[in-house]
Amino acid sequence: MSSEKGRPKANFAQPTAPAKPKVPIVSSLHLASGRSAELSEFEFGMIIASNAFNRWMVRCISAAGMKDMTPTDVLVLHHINHRAREKKLADIAFILNIEDTHIVNYSLKKLHAQGLVNTERRGKEVLYSTNEAGQALCKRYYEIREQVLVSGLTGDGTESFELEELARFLRLLSGLYEQAARAATSM
């Protein structure tokens, strides 16, 4: 730009500070030094979100009236209660993506001992379903979840869309991690 006399105008804009290099937020910097530092940041986000989610489930179920449950116990209970259908051990482990069925079996025995699920033997299979106490506990969990967790969401369409997209992306990455786990097993 020039002034009226043909001389350039002085630029009085504040100089911008040099951009600081982006420091990734990761749990293991050595994993962020490769091609995808963003993946390492995502993994750290998953770690802290997973731990927060596990803590939330245990505290919510405790507030609902059932102490001494693990995150797996809570997940198994909710899945058994899902659609009010009987479930088999193998199907529960498959849906929850838990490779070791002994972990699920331990939760099932614990839930049965706590009087939350019924069992029924059909041939070689044992089928699990929630009884009235299990259904009531799931309902109370739902009520607490709505009151203290869901109420913190804005409820607008944008947020719902973002959560839906995030869930889709997590399922996509789950497949990527599963494929990588199979490849690592064969090494």
Side-chain angles (χ1 to χ4, degrees), residues 24-34 37 39-41 43-44 47:
I25 300 172
V26 296
S27 64
S28 303
L29 189 58
H30 64 279
L31 297 178
S33 62
L39 183 60
S40 294
E41 284 189 84
E43 289 171 343
F44 183 57
I47 290 166

Side-chain angles (χ1 to χ4, degrees), residues 99 177-187:
E99 190 173 22
Y177 279 103
E178 289 291 340
Q179 183 178 0
R182 283 190 296 276
T185 300
S186 67
M187 294 181 123

Side-chain angles (χ1 to χ4, degrees), residues 55-65 140-141 144-145:
R55 189 170 34 258
W56 151 253
M57 286 188 295
V58 167
R59 294 198 178 145
C60 186
I61 203 79
S62 181
R140 182 68 184 130
Y141 183 102
I144 293 168
R145 181 178 180 269

